[in-house]
Structure formats: structure tokens, C-alpha cells
Amino acid sequence: MVFHKDPCGVFCILFTYALVAYADYVIIQHVILTTLTGSIWGAVHCVLFNTIIFGVLYSHARTVFSDPGIVPLPIMGLDFSDLHVQGKGHMDQSNGEDWTVCQRCETYRPPRAHHCKICRRCVRRMDHHCPWVNNCIGEMNQKYFIQFLFYTALLCIYALILNISGWMWMFGNARSSNADLLSRKSTVAHGIGLCIESILFGLFVIVMLFDQISSIFGDETGVEYTIHRSRKTRPPRPRKPRMALLREVFGYGPVYTWLMPCSAPGGTVRSLVPGSYDV
Ligand SMILES: [Zn+2]
Ligand SMILES: [Zn+2]
């Protein structure tokens, strides 16, 4: 299990839990129990909404605690004093398609691995370090990260639909008692809060989701995109079918397991050569 003691990451995790708990409270207390009491649809929406929340929390936990593909350190220390003397060794300046040396970890690392300053380790096919999951997104946990984005986007859209439907019902069934007016004010206030939360985070995760999918189809991680853009050159790579690129992230199991957070981790581990670390 991996967990980094980064204060920003820990805060973001707790903030995520608080946002999910608030959304659940508003939907159950102020939408379903207010507008759908006694209806079978109340129970249906309650079960569906909490099933999606389970998907969000489970995929989030797997992204947080999974090994993103950390490059193991050699059993015995390696001597890279030559590279230190020369500054950045030629291996470190390669185009990322060969084995390189990480001078911070003092180890060899496979193609497409990059060093994360927050995790202080090299990660295979590192995409970026995400504070919302307090972990790197790499070869082994990108699948869970995409699942987390997908379920969060679904939750935001569903919350927005339920919220707006609740308002429509409420204003279409106007009653005039004082208790009703008070309850309606509180429902509207929480509804506005949830609308802002859903739109803000919904748009954010949808943009992130498209970004992840386009980086998979482009066969270029977030880190590689930044490096290639700064160097204004991209190393040639054989073109692969989109399905093959998706399978590198989601694994080689059946397609219906791609959105199941309980399924096996993605990643091909093809960058690892058995025995490569016996140095
Ligand atoms: Zn490193
Ligand atoms: Zn990291």
C-alpha cells in the first residue's frame, strides 16, 4: 500500500470526502425525502445515487493507495559518480524511449519512466502527480483514476438532474403553511450549493476525463506532452490501434470490467524486463 504524507494531498482527500458527503446529504434529505416520499422512485434514486457514490469512493481509494508503478530501487547501491561530475548524464537527456538513469533515485529506470518530486521516486509512464488522490498517476493506477473521473462526472450530472427535478416538483406543488415555507427555503439554499458544486467539479472532471482519453489515444503521457512541447520534438513511435492503447491502460480483461474498480489493475508492465533490477 502506498500513502504519501503530503499535507496538500491529505487535505484534498478529506475535502473530496466532505464534498461527496454533502452531495449525498442534500440529495437524500432535501430532494428525495422532500419530493419523493412514499414513491418507489424515491427508493430507486436513493439506491442508484449511492451506488455511484460507492463507485466514486472505491475508485478514489484504489487510486490513492495503489502503487502507480514505482520503479524499484536496486538491492545494492549503484555508483553514478561519473554522471554527477558531468552534470546531467547523456542517458538522462535521452528522448525517454530508452533506459535512463535517475540521478535522484540513483537507479536505472525503464523507458517512459519519470521522477516525481513529491513522491521522490521514479514512476513508470508517469502522467502527473494528482493532489486530489495524493498519488502519482502512472502505469498501474491510471485505470482507477479514469474510473474515479468517470463516476464523479456521472454523480455530478445525476445530482444536477435530481436537484432541478426536485425544484420543479416543489414549485409545482406549492403549499402555504409556515413550516413548508421554511423547509422550502432551506431546500433551495442547499440546492443552490449543490448546483454550484456539481457544475464546478463536474466540468473539471469531464475536462480531465477527455484529457486522459486523448493522452491514451495520442500514446503520450502528461509528462511526455510537456517535455515534447518544450523540446518542440516528439520521438517517433509505432502507431498502434486505439483498442491496443486502451488495453495498455485498462488491462487485457473483458471490456465490461474496465469500469469496475474492484477489477485487477491496468498497466502492461511491458517496460519491465525480468531480472533488470538484479544489479
Ligand atoms: Zn527518480
Ligand atoms: Zn508523485
Side-chain angles (χ1 to χ4, degrees):
M1 194 179 84
V2 175
F3 190 77
H4 306 287
K5 290 171 189 160
D6 173 33
C8 171
V10 173
F11 171 78
C12 284
I13 288 177
L14 295 176
F15 190 51
T16 305
Y17 292 156
L19 289 170
V20 172
Y22 179 68
D24 203 21
Y25 162 73
V26 175
I27 291 297
I28 302 290
Q29 185 68 32
H30 291 282
V31 176
I32 293 177
L33 288 181
T34 307
T35 62
L36 293 168
T37 313
S39 160
I40 184 72
W41 287 108
V44 170
H45 285 305
C46 191
V47 169
L48 271 177
F49 195 75
N50 281 279
T51 305
I52 299 172
I53 285 184
F54 175 78
V56 170
L57 295 180
Y58 201 103
S59 54
H60 182 261
R62 290 211 76 168
T63 320
V64 171
F65 298 112
S66 287
D67 172 4
I70 291 172
V71 178
L73 295 174
I75 298 162
M76 291 173 66
L78 299 174
D79 182 12
F80 291 114
S81 51
D82 285 359
L83 291 178
H84 284 302
V85 170
Q86 292 164 19
K88 281 196 162 186
H90 74 280
M91 295 179 80
D92 209 22
Q93 293 176 338
S94 79
N95 57 16
E97 302 301 297
D98 308 310
W99 281 73
T100 49
V101 169
C102 176
Q103 295 184 31
R104 297 186 190 93
C105 298
E106 301 211 314
T107 187
Y108 289 103
R109 60 187 174 190
R112 304 187 71 178
H114 293 278
H115 186 85
C116 173
K117 286 178 187 163
I118 296 165
C119 300
R120 295 179 188 164
R121 292 293 292 275
C122 282
V123 175
R124 295 195 306 274
R125 291 182 77 151
M126 177 186 165
D127 188 81
H128 67 288
H129 184 96
C130 177
W132 291 99
V133 296
N134 191 31
N135 202 358
C136 259
I137 306 304
E139 185 173 271
M140 301 299 285
N141 68 347
Q142 191 179 14
K143 168 183 173 174
Y144 301 132
F145 182 62
I146 292 172
Q147 287 172 348
F148 169 60
L149 296 176
F150 173 79
Y151 286 117
T152 307
L154 205 61
L155 193 71
C156 290
I157 293 167
Y158 196 16
L160 211 55
I161 292 170
L162 283 179
N163 212 357
I164 292 167
S165 310
W167 282 353
M168 285 166 70
W169 183 93
M170 205 169 55
F171 292 116
N173 290 271
R175 277 171 277 170
S176 55
S177 77
N178 280 343
D180 278 341
L181 279 173
L182 268 176
S183 130
R184 202 176 299 170
K185 271 184 186 171
S186 158
T187 299
V188 169
H190 282 297
I192 290 170
L194 185 60
C195 261
I196 294 170
E197 181 189 329
S198 306
I199 292 170
L200 213 65
F201 287 93
L203 285 175
F204 177 63
V205 293
I206 287 168
V207 168
M208 285 291 291
L209 193 58
F210 275 103
D211 186 57
Q212 288 289 304
I213 300 297
S214 66
S215 89
I216 293 171
F217 287 155
D219 198 12
E220 190 179 48
T221 64
V223 173
E224 287 168 346
Y225 174 77
T226 311
I227 294 172
H228 297 159
R229 230 176 85 167
S230 68
R231 292 183 186 171
K232 294 188 175 125
T233 174
R234 193 191 151 163
R237 270 188 202 140
R239 283 184 71 85
K240 297 175 195 165
R242 286 188 166 184
M243 196 59 174
L245 291 166
L246 284 169
R247 285 205 177 279
E248 284 185 0
V249 172
F250 290 99
Y252 291 87
V255 174
Y256 66 83
T257 63
W258 288 6
L259 287 175
M260 287 183 185
C262 49
S263 57
T268 59
V269 203
R270 67 193 161 82
S271 50
L272 282 176
V273 180
S276 299
Y277 296 100
D278 299 338
V279 282

